[in-house]
Amino acid sequence: MSGFDYDLFVIGGGSGGVRAARVAAGETGAKVALAEMDRYGGTCVIRGCVPKKLMVFASEYAGMPAEARAYGWDIADGAFDWSAFRGRLHAELDRLEGVYRRLLTGSGVETFDARARLRDAHTVELSTGEVKTAKHILIATGGRPVRPDMPNARLGMVSDDLFHMETLPKSILIIGGGYIACEFACILHGLGVEVTQYYRGAQILRGFDEEARGLIADAMKERGIDLHTGTNIVEMRRAAGAHPEDGAGSPEAEGMGTVPVEASQFGAHPEDAPGAGPLRVKATNGKVRDFDAVLFATGRRPNTADMGLEDLGLTLTRGGAVEVDAYSQTKVPSVYAIGDVTDRVNLTPVAIREGMAFVETVFRGNPTPVDHELIPSAVFTQPEMGTVGLTEEAARDREEIDVYCTSFRPMRTAFAERPDRVLMKLIVSKATRKVLGCHIVAPGAGEMIQLAGIAIKMGATKEDFDRTVAVHPTMSEEIVTMRNPVRSA
């Protein structure tokens, strides 16, 4: 090891860091250590994908009794018990964290429950006071949700806070229009919360296919989510009556528009925490409303603060991400970075792939660039969206395309007289006939897009899809039965 304590020191115990550490140690024989300041499993396992998906499952039962009755079952509506679900949720997260710890131990990785920062290109200083050296250092510290820069933003929640609520709010305002905002709008609505959503843009889910996100927006409104686009938050404070000095019952308390910000007692209660009482919110449309809770889903930021990175000569982007090359290497040759901290494609499977490519490059002597092309992904709204490849808008800016698309009421919900619609869409190159993109909005779209992604990654043409026999009766059969384009561009 040329005098170093370790061959590899990994900072961050999320999915990417853990995979890189245990593969390097268990399969290449490297001496590896890993430091994690919080819980093992990172964003995905502890405060992201896993608990969110379990909440998705819980929320989907809301419509089951009514649908079952349409099919002849004598099933009564029930009530959701957040405390019972929350207990099982945290027990499952504890179990998964234990799995991650055992995987590391079983692979021979030495772990430190501590915060780490870089002292130099080969030295890591831990919050315990220990100092460790390594031939290679891998930064895999992930990202975190951020609150907007506005008075009283601390009174609102971010996505991490949702999993720790003692009780469900009766009403919530969600600020944001990205996938996290939309997923939690659907989840909380399904769990019985009155949901209002503000998004400053013209349509939610910016960056996704226009037709697909339009259908999801319509479905969310149809289900009862009070969605307002072109709308943002202007002011927020504790509602009148939450504290005696707020002026409960006074004319000023009835509308913030008549009270100067200085007189509206913003920030008058720094001891308050999210969930301590109703919040009064003024929107850009002039409306003033009270909510039991406010959730900010307005962005995430890489965890790079106070790690000594800039002092070391690493380049950070304006958003604080670590700049790396195609092999995840920074400007400092011994230091690499993977996952959300690099702000490339912020998905758990991508971080894992980046970790594997890092091990292949550094410890197996096989330089392996990370492949970020044609990555399938899903948005767990209700209905779900699955997507891979180019949107219609991006594809037509690049070349001439044919668009194959169908939208219909699926058999299951049509029989139950529900208005739900699904969308199946293929974007096809006119020149090569390759399928450039696939977009599905439907129950189970995440499951469907995984398989479609294989074909598209292999370079399948529209005629390859056409030659595939349909599975009938299914929603997904429409992917292989669309014969004529609905438009060309």
Side-chain angles (χ1 to χ4, degrees), residues 441-456:
V441 178
E447 306 290 346
M448 288 187 241
I449 205 65
Q450 178 71 82
L451 303 182
I454 297 171
I456 294 171

Side-chain angles (χ1 to χ4, degrees), residues 164-211:
H164 300 286
M165 295 185 295
E166 291 292 334
T167 58
L168 279 180
K170 291 184 173 60
S171 65
I172 191 168
L173 170 64
I174 297 178
I175 311 294
Y179 74 92
I180 294 174
C182 295
E183 287 175 338
F184 279 113
C186 293
I187 288 168
L188 293 169
H189 175 264
L191 299 182
V193 179
E194 180 186 326
V195 177
T196 302
Q197 184 176 353
Y198 291 169
Y199 176 52
R200 64 184 181 181
Q203 182 59 283
I204 58 170
L205 298 171
R206 182 171 63 89
F208 291 91
D209 186 85
E210 184 73 30
E211 199 166 6

Side-chain angles (χ1 to χ4, degrees), residues 338-414:
I338 61 170
D340 290 6
V341 75
T342 66
D343 197 24
R344 288 177 285 181
V345 179
N346 296 339
L347 297 169
T348 297
V350 175
I352 291 171
R353 284 294 183 96
E354 290 169 356
M356 295 293 286
F358 160 78
V359 173
E360 195 71 22
T361 298
V362 175
F363 291 98
R364 291 199 170 108
N366 177 29
T368 303
V370 180
D371 183 3
H372 289 120
E373 294 297 317
L374 295 173
I375 297 172
S377 63
V379 178
F380 296 105
T381 45
Q382 296 172 16
E384 291 178 9
M385 174 164 60
T387 181
V388 61
L390 297 176
T391 65
E392 178 180 346
E393 295 73 35
R396 72 187 179 206
D397 287 342
R398 197 176 80 170
E399 61 180 286
E400 292 186 344
I401 59 171
D402 288 326
V403 178
Y404 296 80
C405 185
T406 182
S407 180
F408 57 94
R409 293 175 67 198
M411 178 189 296
R412 176 170 176 167
T413 50

Side-chain angles (χ1 to χ4, degrees), residues 426-445:
L426 295 176
I427 314 300
V428 178
S429 167
K430 277 191 173 184
T432 66
R433 300 298 295 162
K434 280 188 177 182
V435 179
L436 304 175
C438 177
H439 311 281
I440 301 172
V441 178

Side-chain angles (χ1 to χ4, degrees), residues 114-393:
R115 192 181 195 279
R117 69 190 312 274
L118 277 67
R119 178 180 286 185
D120 61 40
H122 295 282
T123 307
V124 174
E125 182 179 1
L126 302 177
S127 56
T128 57
E130 298 172 274
V131 176
K132 303 293 181 181
T133 61
K135 185 176 182 180
H136 302 284
I137 296 172
L138 179 64
I139 302 169
T141 49
R144 68 190 186 281
V146 294
R147 289 175 171 83
D149 183 14
M150 63 171 290
N152 287 341
R154 61 182 168 73
L155 300 178
M157 295 189 292
V158 293
S159 58
D160 289 359
D161 302 319
L162 288 170
F163 309 114
H164 300 286
M165 295 185 295
E166 291 292 334
T167 58
L168 279 180
K170 291 184 173 60
S171 65
I172 191 168
L173 170 64
I174 297 178
I175 311 294
Y179 74 92
I180 294 174
C182 295
E183 287 175 338
F184 279 113
C186 293
I187 288 168
L188 293 169
H189 175 264
L191 299 182
V193 179
E194 180 186 326
V195 177
T196 302
Q197 184 176 353
Y198 291 169
Y199 176 52
R200 64 184 181 181
Q203 182 59 283
I204 58 170
L205 298 171
R206 182 171 63 89
F208 291 91
D209 186 85
E210 184 73 30
E211 199 166 6
R213 61 190 186 133
L215 193 152
I216 290 173
D218 291 343
M220 289 171 64
K221 294 174 185 176
E222 181 74 36
R223 288 170 181 261
I225 294 170
D226 188 15
L227 174 62
H228 297 262
T229 54
T231 307
N232 204 352
I233 186 172
V234 175
E235 299 177 11
M236 179 174 72
R237 63 172 170 87
R238 288 291 177 205
H243 300 275
E245 64 270 35
D246 274 351
S250 68
E252 291 82 6
E254 297 304 315
M256 283 188 257
T258 61
V259 185
V261 173
E262 294 79 10
S264 64
Q265 299 191 29
F266 274 43
H269 307 284
E271 73 281 7
D272 285 351
L279 297 171
R280 180 155 294 176
V281 174
K282 181 177 181 180
T284 51
N285 60 14
K287 292 184 179 179
V288 177
R289 292 183 58 185
D290 290 354
F291 300 93
D292 289 333
V294 171
L295 169 66
F296 292 112
T298 50
R300 296 178 62 84
R301 187 164 297 162
N303 287 322
T304 53
D306 191 30
M307 288 187 63
L309 304 185
E310 293 172 297
D311 294 340
L312 195 60
L314 271 69
T315 303
L316 302 183
T317 68
R318 287 185 61 187
V322 179
E323 284 193 356
V324 293
D325 64 14
Y327 301 91
S328 297
Q329 190 175 34
T330 71
K331 288 178 65 176
V332 178
S334 60
V335 180
Y336 291 73
I338 61 170
D340 290 6
V341 75
T342 66
D343 197 24
R344 288 177 285 181
V345 179
N346 296 339
L347 297 169
T348 297
V350 175
I352 291 171
R353 284 294 183 96
E354 290 169 356
M356 295 293 286
F358 160 78
V359 173
E360 195 71 22
T361 298
V362 175
F363 291 98
R364 291 199 170 108
N366 177 29
T368 303
V370 180
D371 183 3
H372 289 120
E373 294 297 317
L374 295 173
I375 297 172
S377 63
V379 178
F380 296 105
T381 45
Q382 296 172 16
E384 291 178 9
M385 174 164 60
T387 181
V388 61
L390 297 176
T391 65
E392 178 180 346
E393 295 73 35

Side-chain angles (χ1 to χ4, degrees), residues 30-101:
K31 186 174 182 182
V32 181
L34 182 147
E36 170 56 53
M37 64 179 287
D38 197 354
R39 299 186 64 181
Y40 286 67
T43 295
C44 180
V45 173
I46 303 300
R47 47 194 169 269
C49 323
V50 172
K52 176 192 72 180
K53 191 64 182 292
L54 293 172
M55 289 179 73
V56 168
F57 292 147
S59 68
E60 288 177 337
Y61 284 99
M64 185 271 289
E67 185 175 310
R69 288 193 292 271
Y71 278 90
W73 289 89
D74 184 13
I75 295 179
D77 290 337
F80 176 69
D81 186 341
W82 169 253
S83 61
F85 170 77
R86 182 178 179 272
R88 290 184 62 88
L89 174 67
H90 285 280
E92 176 64 4
L93 301 186
D94 290 343
R95 184 188 72 81
L96 292 172
E97 182 180 12
V99 169
Y100 269 61
R101 286 181 177 272

